[in-house]
Amino acid sequence: QKEVEQDPGPLSVPEGAIVSLNCTYSNSAFQYFMWYRQYSRKGPELLMYTYSSGNKEDGRFTAQVDKSSKYISLFIRDSQPSDSATYLCAMSVGIQGAQKLVFGQGTRLTINP
Amino acid sequence: SAVISQKPSRDICQRGTSLTIQCQVDSQVTMMFWYRQQPGQSLTLIATANQGSEATYESGFVIDKFPISRPNLTFSTLTVSNMSPEDSSIYLCSVPSGGDIQYFGAGTRLSVL
């Protein structure tokens, strides 16, 4: 069993839809929970990060963490064609200042105009 | 966030040769990380490079195959040695900023023939 599980998709939705992306994890030692967006032929771009259970909102994006269920989500409201990318969840573990990231498989998302 | 530059951005190499990838950061950082992203897969940590000490390699990665240098606080290199087609991947460096949140370079896209 992988430490972080993420549905690889692909996921295709119409413009304006609400998108829900999810990851589950098994390691209780994970500390930070991050979402990266990766456009084709580009490096991962940090979208959001959270530390504790609950919701964190940034514009059209909301990150949600439920540590009791070991489950994190990213919601995208009013989705745009420019949101089409691969979304990677990542979780950090280790001592402060030297934490390594464990990534999910990534979900390929397409927003259709 | 830090600005990270990687060189080369892409290369096509022959089997049995070696390629050195450079990672330059615009600020001083203690830790730098090297990841591999195989085609259609997520990111896997290769090693952690701490300035002034030997790199720490993850399970499945060895120094003879992926030697790393870290001569100062803004620069690191990863060499992919004695390459085979299975080494065809995107290689990414990352640095922590603002705690343990990691930011990535654009990556080096390597194809081995």
Side-chain angles (χ1 to χ4, degrees):
Chain A
Q1 180 189 6
K2 294 182 179 180
E3 283 188 288
V4 179
E5 298 278 1
Q6 182 178 6
D7 186 342
L11 181 61
S12 181
V13 301
E15 183 176 355
I18 296 174
V19 177
S20 173
L21 304 169
N22 310 296
C23 290
T24 59
Y25 62 95
S26 57
N27 189 346
S28 298
F30 287 138
Q31 298 181 32
Y32 283 92
F33 303 87
M34 287 148 276
W35 286 95
Y36 288 86
R37 177 174 62 194
Q38 187 174 25
Y39 291 113
S40 179
R41 301 182 182 278
K42 300 289 187 181
E45 168 196 11
L46 180 67
L47 268 180
M48 298 189 71
Y49 67 91
T50 58
Y51 180 79
S52 55
S53 285
N55 294 348
K56 182 176 181 180
E57 189 173 320
D58 184 1
R60 296 185 295 110
F61 298 89
T62 299
Q64 185 176 80
V65 173
D66 183 345
K67 287 190 174 182
S68 62
S69 300
K70 295 188 177 65
Y71 187 90
I72 71 170
S73 299
L74 177 71
F75 298 97
I76 307 174
R77 292 184 299 279
D78 187 24
S79 55
Q80 304 294 311
S82 58
D83 296 328
S84 298
T86 296
Y87 289 79
L88 299 151
C89 64
M91 306 179 188
S92 70
V93 63
I95 61 174
Q96 189 171 6
Q99 295 197 351
K100 70 173 188 180
L101 296 184
V102 180
F103 282 84
Q105 299 96 305
T107 300
R108 184 180 299 179
L109 173 66
T110 301
I111 309 297
N112 301 301
Chain B
S1 61
V3 176
I4 303 164
S5 301
Q6 271 188 247
K7 291 180 180 180
S9 59
R10 62 187 306 151
D11 208 340
I12 301 173
C13 300
Q14 295 297 319
R15 180 195 298 261
T17 62
S18 298
L19 175 71
T20 295
I21 301 167
Q22 299 178 7
C23 182
Q24 179 78 50
V25 188
D26 69 342
S27 58
Q28 293 185 338
V29 291
T30 304
M31 311 294 293
M32 295 179 77
F33 302 87
W34 287 98
Y35 289 82
R36 180 176 72 181
Q37 187 174 26
Q38 294 178 299
Q41 303 297 314
S42 192
L43 284 75
T44 301
L45 181 64
I46 297 172
T48 302
N50 191 0
Q51 199 274 331
S53 63
E54 294 283 334
T56 302
Y57 289 82
E58 296 298 303
S59 175
F61 298 96
V62 296
I63 187 172
D64 289 346
K65 177 66 177 179
F66 298 102
I68 288 171
S69 78
R70 185 77 205 277
N72 57 53
L73 291 173
T74 63
F75 187 79
S76 178
T77 67
L78 170 77
T79 298
V80 186
S81 303
N82 187 25
M83 288 184 286
S84 67
E86 292 71 34
D87 295 318
S88 297
S89 294
I90 302 172
Y91 292 87
L92 298 129
C93 68
S94 75
V95 301
S97 181
D100 283 297
I101 307 304
Q102 291 185 26
Y103 295 88
F104 286 82
T108 296
R109 187 176 295 269
L110 171 62
S111 296
V112 183
L113 304 179

